């Protein structure tokens, strides 16, 4: 066979091989018998399957895939500017891509090869696989303002899809919100209470599968909400306890004559039991009282303090007027029709 015919046959074989997706060296680089060996080997290079990944950090991604039988090695590619560029070769079925930008999605392909006569013969590319690096750790978290029921948290902007906010609740960190901005206001907090918060950045990987990559947590910040100057139920309860103790102190006749009442020894045995029995038993519908005073929701604690001073004077007046009874301080939400007002209120009775 003439030399020209050999080359023609080699070119034909190479064209047939390319039709299978394999890549061969140029025909003029070797003889017809070497070229035939390459064609046979190329036809047996399988396609890489099972390409997956694991994000190791904000700059490294580890790729893994299934082993291709008979492969000498694998070449890894990453897309840039619309084109897949070679990253490197490896013998095994994993490859770690390093020095990547943080919070960035990247696309990869892998293909297997065999080395024949010193030349690489490739199989088909794998399907493309995209994933993302983690964001970097959040920085600059601080407390910028504190209210009676809210705390505002700002931080430094970094590359990510969104930020996740966490609160320490009974010793466990729980996610309480997320935002694409660089600040978050935590609301519905209790007054005069200490809270702890931290954040971390999130990079969404694939919208279809909702995979997320997270950066490291920021440092922890602590904030104590301000004491509320508005009256709360706890303030009302404390006021009732104080006025009840004051009324007991003033009930000197009862203290001296409690054993003379007919239920002594049946429903109570001590003066303290007598006081407790009356406080649990007496209600407005079944008792006597002179007036009803009201305290509106939203009024300040200073108003409540003034109210208690006036009510102690009122208790003093009642005991001076008629000292042989025990006055019960009874408080409930204002019944319908009492002290008609657009704001809700508490009703305070002095029962006897």
């Amino acid at each position: 066979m003439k030399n020209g015919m050999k080359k023609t046959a080699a070119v034909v074989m190479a064209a047939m091989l390319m039709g299978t997706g394999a890549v061969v060296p140029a025909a003029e680089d070797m003889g017809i018998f070497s070229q035939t060996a390459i064609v046979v080997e190329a036809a047996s290079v399988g396609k890489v399957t099972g390409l997956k990944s694991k994000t190791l950090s904000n700059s490294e991604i580890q790729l893994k895939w299934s082993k291709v039988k008979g492969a000498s090695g694998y070449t890894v590619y990453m897309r840039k500017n619309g084109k897949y560029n070679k990253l490197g070769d490896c013998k095994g079925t994993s490859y770690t891509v390093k020095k990547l930008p943080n919070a960035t999605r990247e696309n990869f392909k892998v293909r297997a090869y065999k080395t024949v006569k010193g030349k690489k013969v490739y199989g088909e590319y794998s399907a493309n696989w995209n994933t993302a690096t983690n964001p970097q750790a959040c920085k600059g978290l601080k407390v910028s303002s504190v209210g009676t029921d809210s705390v505002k948290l700002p931080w430094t902007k970094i590359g990510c899809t969104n930020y996740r906010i966490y609160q320490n609740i009974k010793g466990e960190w729980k996610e309480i919100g997320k935002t694409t901005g660089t600040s978050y206001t935590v609301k519905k907090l209790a007054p005069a209470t200490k809270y702890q918060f931290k954040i971390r950045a999130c990079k969404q990987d694939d919208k279809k599968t909702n995979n997320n990559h997270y950066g490291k947590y920021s440092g922890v910040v602590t904030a104590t909400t301000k004491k509320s100057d508005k009256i709360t139920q706890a303030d009302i309860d404390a006021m009732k306890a104080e006025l009840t103790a004051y009324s007991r102190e003033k009930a000197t006749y009862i203290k001296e004559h409690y054993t003379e009442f007919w239920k002594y020894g049946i429903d109570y045995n001590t003066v303290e039991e007598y006081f407790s029995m009356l406080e649990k038993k007496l209600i407005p519908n079944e008792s006597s009282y002179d007036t009803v005073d009201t305290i509106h929701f939203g009024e300040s604690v200073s108003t409540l303090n003034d109210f208690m001073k006036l009510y102690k004077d009122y208790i003093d007046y009642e005991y001076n007027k008629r000292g042989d009874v025990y006055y019960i301080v009874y408080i409930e939400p204002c019944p319908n029709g009492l002290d008609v007002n657009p704001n809700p209120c508490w009703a305070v009775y002095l029962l006897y």
Side-chain angles (χ1 to χ4, degrees):
M1 184 181 293
K2 295 182 179 180
N3 189 47
M5 294 178 66
K6 290 181 180 180
K7 289 185 177 181
T8 301
V11 170
V12 171
M13 291 180 184
M16 292 172 61
L17 180 58
M18 289 179 182
T20 68
V23 178
V24 299
E28 58 266 22
D29 290 340
M30 57 189 65
I32 184 62
F33 295 107
S34 297
Q35 186 67 28
T36 302
I38 291 174
V39 171
V40 174
E41 291 292 342
S44 66
V45 180
K47 178 180 178 179
V48 169
T49 59
L51 180 59
K52 301 291 181 183
S53 68
K54 179 181 180 181
T55 299
L56 302 179
S57 68
N58 65 332
S59 63
E60 295 185 354
I61 293 173
Q62 184 183 60
L63 301 171
K64 290 187 176 183
W65 54 89
S66 301
K67 183 178 180 180
V68 174
K69 185 177 180 180
S72 302
Y74 305 87
T75 302
V76 180
Y77 302 83
M78 184 173 76
R79 190 171 67 188
K80 186 175 182 180
N81 299 324
K83 180 181 178 182
Y84 281 92
N85 300 291
K86 178 180 176 179
L87 291 178
D89 295 330
C90 63
K91 297 297 184 181
T93 56
S94 68
Y95 185 92
T96 299
V97 187
K98 302 180 178 180
K99 297 182 179 180
L100 295 169
N102 65 80
T104 303
R105 184 177 296 168
E106 305 290 358
N107 285 268
F108 303 95
K109 285 185 178 182
V110 179
R111 60 177 176 168
Y113 66 83
K114 287 185 179 181
T115 303
V116 183
K117 302 296 183 179
K119 302 293 182 177
K120 290 180 179 177
V121 181
Y122 288 93
E124 292 185 55
Y125 285 101
S126 68
N128 101 293
W129 178 262
N130 72 83
T131 188
T133 53
N134 294 338
Q136 60 181 298
C138 284
K139 299 177 180 179
L141 178 64
K142 61 183 180 180
V143 177
S144 63
S145 64
V146 178
T148 58
D149 62 352
S150 64
V151 172
K152 185 175 182 180
L153 305 168
W155 54 84
T156 303
K157 183 178 181 179
I158 62 172
C160 63
T161 305
N162 54 52
Y163 304 89
R164 305 299 174 96
I165 297 84
Y166 298 82
Q167 179 182 330
N168 190 332
I169 300 176
K170 296 181 179 180
E172 182 179 351
W173 288 100
K174 295 185 178 181
E175 183 179 320
I176 59 171
K178 64 180 179 180
T179 180
T180 56
T182 55
S183 69
Y184 187 87
T185 300
V186 187
K187 300 179 180 180
K188 296 183 179 180
L189 302 174
T193 305
K194 182 185 288 187
Y195 293 94
Q196 288 185 314
F197 306 98
K198 63 182 179 181
I199 63 170
R200 62 175 175 170
C202 171
K203 174 64 178 179
Q204 187 168 303
D205 183 352
D206 188 325
K207 292 182 179 179
K208 293 181 180 180
T209 58
N210 197 31
N211 293 326
N212 294 320
H213 300 284
Y214 294 95
K216 294 181 179 180
Y217 287 103
S218 68
V220 176
V221 296
T222 301
T224 301
T225 50
K226 294 180 180 179
K227 184 177 180 180
S228 175
D229 61 348
K230 302 300 181 184
I231 299 174
T232 65
Q233 184 62 51
D235 296 320
I236 292 295
D237 293 341
M239 182 193 75
K240 179 179 179 179
E242 183 174 337
L243 292 178
T244 296
Y246 189 79
S247 181
R248 284 189 178 191
E249 180 186 343
K250 294 294 181 177
T252 55
Y253 179 86
I254 300 300
K255 291 177 183 178
E256 295 171 358
H257 299 86
Y258 73 93
T259 59
E260 300 172 13
F261 300 114
W262 72 273
K263 286 193 175 184
Y264 177 73
I266 300 175
D267 292 340
Y268 66 92
N269 293 296
T270 67
V271 68
E272 290 300 320
E273 290 180 355
Y274 180 66
F275 286 146
S276 297
M277 179 189 71
L278 293 179
E279 288 160 10
K280 293 177 182 178
K281 177 181 178 181
L282 297 183
I283 59 175
N285 290 342
E286 299 177 2
S287 306
S288 299
Y289 56 88
D290 295 328
T291 60
V292 182
D293 298 287
T294 58
I295 303 171
H296 296 107
F297 293 5
E299 289 188 298
S300 68
V301 174
S302 60
T303 301
L304 189 63
N305 291 334
D306 292 339
F307 182 92
M308 280 198 292
K309 292 177 183 178
L310 291 173
Y311 230 72
K312 286 180 180 180
D313 291 340
Y314 180 34
I315 291 172
D316 288 342
Y317 172 78
E318 291 297 333
Y319 274 114
N320 288 331
K321 184 174 68 174
R322 183 175 59 222
D324 60 349
V325 297
Y326 177 48
Y327 292 100
I328 306 298
V329 179
Y330 183 90
I331 303 176
E332 67 176 1
C334 292
N336 293 334
L338 178 62
D339 191 32
V340 178
N341 191 291
N343 296 317
C345 63
W346 289 282
V348 184
Y349 304 81
L350 199 60
L351 307 178
Y352 61 92

